Amino acid sequence: RKDVKLDHVIEHIVARMPTGEEAGALSMSEGTPVLVVYATARDAAGRPLMVVDTVLPADLHELEDAYPLA
């Protein structure tokens, strides 16, 4: 609606142990790590337009990325 055009996404992915709150909210068993995915969609000038911050149980998810090379 605002004629916004996303140009690229920058992802930061970290594997770590969950906080107590995260483990409870995700019904995780003790000792299971999480993947934290922080993705920022940006315009061609590099300005951030949208941010997604996600915590996933690492034993239940597989991540796949595709990147242009040109």
Side-chain angles (χ1 to χ4, degrees):
R1 295 191 333 175
K2 292 185 177 184
D3 199 29
V4 173
K5 184 173 181 183
L6 302 177
D7 181 73
H8 62 282
V9 174
I10 299 174
E11 287 182 336
H12 183 78
I13 302 171
V14 175
R16 62 167 171 75
M17 297 309 290
T19 65
E21 183 179 351
E22 291 167 339
L26 296 170
S27 300
M28 297 175 58
S29 59
E30 189 174 329
T32 302
V34 292
L35 293 174
V36 180
V37 181
Y38 185 79
T40 307
R42 297 174 180 261
D43 64 11
R47 290 185 298 258
L49 301 174
M50 180 177 67
V51 174
V52 177
D53 188 3
T54 308
V55 179
L56 309 164
D59 63 337
L60 299 176
H61 292 83
E62 181 178 314
L63 304 177
E64 179 179 317
D65 290 317
Y67 298 96
L69 298 176

